[in-house]
mmCIF file with all atom_site columns, all heavy atoms in Angstrom:
data_model
loop_
_atom_site.group_PDB
_atom_site.id
_atom_site.type_symbol
_atom_site.label_atom_id
_atom_site.label_alt_id
_atom_site.label_comp_id
_atom_site.label_asym_id
_atom_site.label_entity_id
_atom_site.label_seq_id
_atom_site.pdbx_PDB_ins_code
_atom_site.Cartn_x
_atom_site.Cartn_y
_atom_site.Cartn_z
_atom_site.occupancy
_atom_site.B_iso_or_equiv
_atom_site.pdbx_formal_charge
_atom_site.auth_seq_id
_atom_site.auth_comp_id
_atom_site.auth_asym_id
_atom_site.auth_atom_id
_atom_site.pdbx_PDB_model_num
ATOM 1   N N   . ASN A 1 16 ? 35.293 -34.356 -18.323 1.00 94.00 ? 16 ASN A N   1
ATOM 2   C CA  . ASN A 1 16 ? 35.165 -32.941 -17.917 1.00 94.00 ? 16 ASN A CA  1
ATOM 3   C C   . ASN A 1 16 ? 36.300 -32.507 -17.022 1.00 94.00 ? 16 ASN A C   1
ATOM 4   O O   . ASN A 1 16 ? 36.767 -33.219 -16.196 1.00 94.00 ? 16 ASN A O   1
ATOM 5   C CB  . ASN A 1 16 ? 33.911 -32.660 -17.145 1.00 94.00 ? 16 ASN A CB  1
ATOM 6   C CG  . ASN A 1 16 ? 32.613 -32.922 -17.932 1.00 94.00 ? 16 ASN A CG  1
ATOM 7   O OD1 . ASN A 1 16 ? 32.651 -32.915 -19.172 1.00 94.00 ? 16 ASN A OD1 1
ATOM 8   N ND2 . ASN A 1 16 ? 31.516 -33.146 -17.239 1.00 94.00 ? 16 ASN A ND2 1
ATOM 9   N N   . LYS A 1 17 ? 36.773 -31.344 -17.244 1.00 94.00 ? 17 LYS A N   1
ATOM 10  C CA  . LYS A 1 17 ? 37.765 -30.660 -16.298 1.00 94.00 ? 17 LYS A CA  1
ATOM 11  C C   . LYS A 1 17 ? 37.028 -29.792 -15.388 1.00 94.00 ? 17 LYS A C   1
ATOM 12  O O   . LYS A 1 17 ? 36.177 -29.016 -15.772 1.00 94.00 ? 17 LYS A O   1
ATOM 13  C CB  . LYS A 1 17 ? 38.726 -29.789 -17.094 1.00 94.00 ? 17 LYS A CB  1
ATOM 14  C CG  . LYS A 1 17 ? 39.734 -30.648 -17.927 1.00 94.00 ? 17 LYS A CG  1
ATOM 15  C CD  . LYS A 1 17 ? 40.683 -29.755 -18.770 1.00 94.00 ? 17 LYS A CD  1
ATOM 16  C CE  . LYS A 1 17 ? 41.069 -28.411 -18.247 1.00 94.00 ? 17 LYS A CE  1
ATOM 17  N NZ  . LYS A 1 17 ? 41.892 -27.679 -19.127 1.00 94.00 ? 17 LYS A NZ  1
ATOM 18  N N   . VAL A 1 18 ? 37.241 -29.986 -14.079 1.00 96.00 ? 18 VAL A N   1
ATOM 19  C CA  . VAL A 1 18 ? 36.550 -29.213 -13.028 1.00 96.00 ? 18 VAL A CA  1
ATOM 20  C C   . VAL A 1 18 ? 37.544 -28.571 -12.123 1.00 96.00 ? 18 VAL A C   1
ATOM 21  O O   . VAL A 1 18 ? 38.546 -29.155 -11.764 1.00 96.00 ? 18 VAL A O   1
ATOM 22  C CB  . VAL A 1 18 ? 35.680 -30.157 -12.156 1.00 96.00 ? 18 VAL A CB  1
ATOM 23  C CG1 . VAL A 1 18 ? 34.919 -29.403 -11.081 1.00 96.00 ? 18 VAL A CG1 1
ATOM 24  C CG2 . VAL A 1 18 ? 34.672 -30.922 -13.082 1.00 96.00 ? 18 VAL A CG2 1
ATOM 25  N N   . CYS A 1 19 ? 37.297 -27.265 -11.823 1.00 96.00 ? 19 CYS A N   1
ATOM 26  C CA  . CYS A 1 19 ? 38.097 -26.566 -10.822 1.00 96.00 ? 19 CYS A CA  1
ATOM 27  C C   . CYS A 1 19 ? 37.226 -25.975 -9.803  1.00 96.00 ? 19 CYS A C   1
ATOM 28  O O   . CYS A 1 19 ? 36.254 -25.191 -10.158 1.00 96.00 ? 19 CYS A O   1
ATOM 29  C CB  . CYS A 1 19 ? 38.928 -25.513 -11.487 1.00 96.00 ? 19 CYS A CB  1
ATOM 30  S SG  . CYS A 1 19 ? 39.933 -24.494 -10.424 1.00 96.00 ? 19 CYS A SG  1
ATOM 31  N N   . ASP A 1 20 ? 37.459 -26.253 -8.575  1.00 97.00 ? 20 ASP A N   1
ATOM 32  C CA  . ASP A 1 20 ? 36.756 -25.607 -7.388  1.00 97.00 ? 20 ASP A CA  1
ATOM 33  C C   . ASP A 1 20 ? 37.786 -24.616 -6.752  1.00 97.00 ? 20 ASP A C   1
ATOM 34  O O   . ASP A 1 20 ? 38.913 -24.985 -6.508  1.00 97.00 ? 20 ASP A O   1
ATOM 35  C CB  . ASP A 1 20 ? 36.327 -26.634 -6.349  1.00 97.00 ? 20 ASP A CB  1
ATOM 36  C CG  . ASP A 1 20 ? 35.137 -27.317 -6.809  1.00 97.00 ? 20 ASP A CG  1
ATOM 37  O OD1 . ASP A 1 20 ? 34.016 -26.718 -6.897  1.00 97.00 ? 20 ASP A OD1 1
ATOM 38  O OD2 . ASP A 1 20 ? 35.228 -28.604 -7.047  1.00 97.00 ? 20 ASP A OD2 1
ATOM 39  N N   . ILE A 1 21 ? 37.281 -23.440 -6.526  1.00 98.00 ? 21 ILE A N   1
ATOM 40  C CA  . ILE A 1 21 ? 38.162 -22.438 -5.875  1.00 98.00 ? 21 ILE A CA  1
ATOM 41  C C   . ILE A 1 21 ? 37.513 -21.918 -4.562  1.00 98.00 ? 21 ILE A C   1
ATOM 42  O O   . ILE A 1 21 ? 36.344 -21.648 -4.579  1.00 98.00 ? 21 ILE A O   1
ATOM 43  C CB  . ILE A 1 21 ? 38.337 -21.175 -6.796  1.00 98.00 ? 21 ILE A CB  1
ATOM 44  C CG1 . ILE A 1 21 ? 38.892 -21.704 -8.166  1.00 98.00 ? 21 ILE A CG1 1
ATOM 45  C CG2 . ILE A 1 21 ? 39.277 -20.081 -6.207  1.00 98.00 ? 21 ILE A CG2 1
ATOM 46  C CD1 . ILE A 1 21 ? 38.779 -20.599 -9.330  1.00 98.00 ? 21 ILE A CD1 1
ATOM 47  N N   . TYR A 1 22 ? 38.327 -21.978 -3.511  1.00 98.00 ? 22 TYR A N   1
ATOM 48  C CA  . TYR A 1 22 ? 37.719 -21.556 -2.207  1.00 98.00 ? 22 TYR A CA  1
ATOM 49  C C   . TYR A 1 22 ? 38.574 -20.427 -1.667  1.00 98.00 ? 22 TYR A C   1
ATOM 50  O O   . TYR A 1 22 ? 39.831 -20.441 -1.715  1.00 98.00 ? 22 TYR A O   1
ATOM 51  C CB  . TYR A 1 22 ? 37.922 -22.748 -1.198  1.00 98.00 ? 22 TYR A CB  1
ATOM 52  C CG  . TYR A 1 22 ? 37.148 -23.971 -1.672  1.00 98.00 ? 22 TYR A CG  1
ATOM 53  C CD1 . TYR A 1 22 ? 37.778 -24.965 -2.345  1.00 98.00 ? 22 TYR A CD1 1
ATOM 54  C CD2 . TYR A 1 22 ? 35.741 -24.092 -1.253  1.00 98.00 ? 22 TYR A CD2 1
ATOM 55  C CE1 . TYR A 1 22 ? 37.013 -26.082 -2.731  1.00 98.00 ? 22 TYR A CE1 1
ATOM 56  C CE2 . TYR A 1 22 ? 35.100 -25.278 -1.690  1.00 98.00 ? 22 TYR A CE2 1
ATOM 57  C CZ  . TYR A 1 22 ? 35.681 -26.215 -2.401  1.00 98.00 ? 22 TYR A CZ  1
ATOM 58  O OH  . TYR A 1 22 ? 35.091 -27.337 -2.791  1.00 98.00 ? 22 TYR A OH  1
ATOM 59  N N   . ARG A 1 23 ? 37.929 -19.407 -1.143  1.00 98.00 ? 23 ARG A N   1
ATOM 60  C CA  . ARG A 1 23 ? 38.617 -18.278 -0.422  1.00 98.00 ? 23 ARG A CA  1
ATOM 61  C C   . ARG A 1 23 ? 38.349 -18.526 1.022   1.00 98.00 ? 23 ARG A C   1
ATOM 62  O O   . ARG A 1 23 ? 37.202 -18.749 1.516   1.00 98.00 ? 23 ARG A O   1
ATOM 63  C CB  . ARG A 1 23 ? 38.122 -16.947 -0.831  1.00 98.00 ? 23 ARG A CB  1
ATOM 64  C CG  . ARG A 1 23 ? 38.830 -15.826 -0.141  1.00 98.00 ? 23 ARG A CG  1
ATOM 65  C CD  . ARG A 1 23 ? 38.353 -14.444 -0.660  1.00 98.00 ? 23 ARG A CD  1
ATOM 66  N NE  . ARG A 1 23 ? 37.056 -14.106 -0.211  1.00 98.00 ? 23 ARG A NE  1
ATOM 67  C CZ  . ARG A 1 23 ? 36.617 -13.674 0.985   1.00 98.00 ? 23 ARG A CZ  1
ATOM 68  N NH1 . ARG A 1 23 ? 37.575 -13.509 1.963   1.00 98.00 ? 23 ARG A NH1 1
ATOM 69  N NH2 . ARG A 1 23 ? 35.437 -13.443 1.259   1.00 98.00 ? 23 ARG A NH2 1
ATOM 70  N N   . ILE A 1 24 ? 39.441 -18.660 1.802   1.00 97.00 ? 24 ILE A N   1
ATOM 71  C CA  . ILE A 1 24 ? 39.463 -18.978 3.255   1.00 97.00 ? 24 ILE A CA  1
ATOM 72  C C   . ILE A 1 24 ? 39.623 -17.709 4.002   1.00 97.00 ? 24 ILE A C   1
ATOM 73  O O   . ILE A 1 24 ? 40.517 -16.939 3.660   1.00 97.00 ? 24 ILE A O   1
ATOM 74  C CB  . ILE A 1 24 ? 40.512 -20.068 3.592   1.00 97.00 ? 24 ILE A CB  1
ATOM 75  C CG1 . ILE A 1 24 ? 40.522 -21.234 2.684   1.00 97.00 ? 24 ILE A CG1 1
ATOM 76  C CG2 . ILE A 1 24 ? 40.449 -20.382 5.051   1.00 97.00 ? 24 ILE A CG2 1
ATOM 77  C CD1 . ILE A 1 24 ? 39.258 -21.997 2.735   1.00 97.00 ? 24 ILE A CD1 1
ATOM 78  N N   . GLU A 1 25 ? 38.762 -17.507 4.977   1.00 97.00 ? 25 GLU A N   1
ATOM 79  C CA  . GLU A 1 25 ? 38.920 -16.332 5.875   1.00 97.00 ? 25 GLU A CA  1
ATOM 80  C C   . GLU A 1 25 ? 38.643 -16.773 7.279   1.00 97.00 ? 25 GLU A C   1
ATOM 81  O O   . GLU A 1 25 ? 37.570 -17.444 7.553   1.00 97.00 ? 25 GLU A O   1
ATOM 82  C CB  . GLU A 1 25 ? 37.919 -15.297 5.410   1.00 97.00 ? 25 GLU A CB  1
ATOM 83  C CG  . GLU A 1 25 ? 38.028 -13.920 6.170   1.00 97.00 ? 25 GLU A CG  1
ATOM 84  C CD  . GLU A 1 25 ? 37.074 -12.874 5.623   1.00 97.00 ? 25 GLU A CD  1
ATOM 85  O OE1 . GLU A 1 25 ? 37.168 -12.596 4.427   1.00 97.00 ? 25 GLU A OE1 1
ATOM 86  O OE2 . GLU A 1 25 ? 36.203 -12.481 6.360   1.00 97.00 ? 25 GLU A OE2 1
ATOM 87  N N   . ASP A 1 26 ? 39.474 -16.559 8.197   1.00 97.00 ? 26 ASP A N   1
ATOM 88  C CA  . ASP A 1 26 ? 39.323 -16.870 9.626   1.00 97.00 ? 26 ASP A CA  1
ATOM 89  C C   . ASP A 1 26 ? 39.134 -18.399 9.765   1.00 97.00 ? 26 ASP A C   1
ATOM 90  O O   . ASP A 1 26 ? 38.220 -18.866 10.452  1.00 97.00 ? 26 ASP A O   1
ATOM 91  C CB  . ASP A 1 26 ? 38.195 -16.097 10.303  1.00 97.00 ? 26 ASP A CB  1
ATOM 92  C CG  . ASP A 1 26 ? 38.418 -14.596 10.351  1.00 97.00 ? 26 ASP A CG  1
ATOM 93  O OD1 . ASP A 1 26 ? 39.568 -14.194 10.545  1.00 97.00 ? 26 ASP A OD1 1
ATOM 94  O OD2 . ASP A 1 26 ? 37.442 -13.863 10.192  1.00 97.00 ? 26 ASP A OD2 1
ATOM 95  N N   . ASP A 1 27 ? 39.919 -19.217 9.049   1.00 95.00 ? 27 ASP A N   1
ATOM 96  C CA  . ASP A 1 27 ? 39.826 -20.687 9.056   1.00 95.00 ? 27 ASP A CA  1
ATOM 97  C C   . ASP A 1 27 ? 38.480 -21.225 8.534   1.00 95.00 ? 27 ASP A C   1
ATOM 98  O O   . ASP A 1 27 ? 38.143 -22.348 8.923   1.00 95.00 ? 27 ASP A O   1
ATOM 99  C CB  . ASP A 1 27 ? 40.230 -21.168 10.427  1.00 95.00 ? 27 ASP A CB  1
ATOM 100 C CG  . ASP A 1 27 ? 41.677 -20.859 10.795  1.00 95.00 ? 27 ASP A CG  1
ATOM 101 O OD1 . ASP A 1 27 ? 42.505 -20.782 9.868   1.00 95.00 ? 27 ASP A OD1 1
ATOM 102 O OD2 . ASP A 1 27 ? 41.876 -20.713 12.005  1.00 95.00 ? 27 ASP A OD2 1
#
Side-chain angles (χ1 to χ4, degrees):
N16 294 341
K17 285 175 34 179
V18 180
C19 177
D20 284 293
I21 305 167
Y22 301 92
R23 183 176 67 81
I24 309 298
E25 186 176 301
D26 298 325
D27 295 330

